[in-house]
Amino acid sequence: NTLRTLPSVEFACGMGEVLKTGLICDADFYEYVLAEHKAIRALDTKALARMIRRCCEIKAGVVERDPKEKGERALLNFGHTLGHAIEKLKDFTWLHGECVAAAYISYQRGLLTEDEYNKIKEGCLLYDLPIQVDGLEDTAVLAATRKDKKMEQGQVKFVLMKGIGGSFIDHTVSDEEMLAGIREILK
């Protein structure tokens, strides 16, 4: 019932987090959220309860296994490295569509198939999340990533995907790869 009180833009932002949860940890859950998009968007109580329960189970499991954020918990930051940079540069007016840029890097590395990459974009579109942003320069976004709190010894800690539902932390994403991901979402 509380979800019914949210403005549509807030619901969309929440769905960005839901999609991210499936993308990084549970391919079956991601498929469920896509398959049930009509019921979820209609705020069907059963569909919402199942979705919320599974998100809580996934996130609680990650946090229980890594309570001090020394390893696995960083996976919950999927998309955030570029997303936080974009949010800052857009004065926090951009929604959670940043996973597309991060997924593009995985796709370019051959870790995601073209179908998987397109399914990620489809998920964003089904829930009114942007897959492109305008009014930014690629180099400005890249520079803003250097101010991210997730930097470790001058190197970006990046979450990549190996298929939908599989993710890992990578410290080798190059500026060129980030620029390619940024350019993928710039209009």
Side-chain angles (χ1 to χ4, degrees):
N1 288 333
T2 301
L3 293 178
R4 295 179 203 281
T5 70
L6 292 177
S8 59
V9 69
E10 292 298 328
F11 185 80
C13 284
M15 288 309 301
E17 291 297 313
V18 169
L19 292 170
K20 175 190 79 173
T21 301
L23 287 172
I24 62 171
C25 295
D26 188 336
D28 291 338
F29 176 63
Y30 187 78
E31 290 293 333
Y32 168 79
V33 174
L34 267 57
E36 295 297 321
H37 72 277
K38 288 181 183 173
I40 291 168
R41 289 187 59 133
L43 303 176
D44 175 81
T45 305
K46 272 188 172 178
L48 291 173
R50 181 175 175 191
M51 177 187 77
I52 292 167
R53 184 178 308 108
R54 185 63 187 135
C55 277
C56 290
E57 290 168 355
I58 291 168
K59 288 188 175 186
V62 169
V63 172
E64 284 173 7
R65 288 186 298 274
D66 185 12
K68 299 191 184 212
E69 201 167 341
K70 299 289 184 194
E72 179 185 8
R73 190 165 168 179
L75 297 176
L76 298 175
N77 294 323
F78 174 66
H80 288 193
T81 300
L82 293 173
H84 287 167
I86 292 167
E87 286 173 352
K88 272 187 221 166
L89 295 172
K90 294 295 281 182
D91 291 325
F92 301 94
T93 60
W94 204 58
L95 301 176
H96 287 72
E98 64 266 8
C99 67
V100 172
Y104 184 76
I105 295 169
S106 296
Y107 169 60
Q108 289 297 295
R109 284 190 173 193
L111 301 169
L112 287 174
T113 66
E114 185 173 358
D115 286 344
E116 290 170 324
Y117 177 62
N118 288 330
K119 189 169 276 202
I120 292 167
K121 292 192 293 187
E122 175 191 355
C124 289
L125 294 173
L126 285 173
Y127 289 100
D128 297 329
L129 295 165
I131 61 170
Q132 292 192 306
V133 63
D134 61 1
L136 296 178
E137 295 293 324
D138 56 357
T139 53
V141 176
L142 180 64
T145 66
R146 299 288 175 228
K147 298 175 181 143
D148 193 273
K149 67 181 181 177
K150 290 172 287 305
M151 292 281 288
E152 286 184 354
Q153 300 167 346
Q155 186 66 37
V156 174
K157 182 167 56 171
F158 216 89
V159 180
L160 295 178
M161 298 173 61
K162 185 165 177 65
I164 291 176
S167 57
F168 63 97
I169 299 162
D170 185 277
H171 293 89
T172 67
V173 174
S174 69
D175 286 354
E176 292 76 23
E177 288 175 302
M178 279 196 282
L179 283 168
I182 294 164
R183 290 177 187 132
E184 176 71 3
I185 64 170
L186 293 181
K187 288 182 185 175

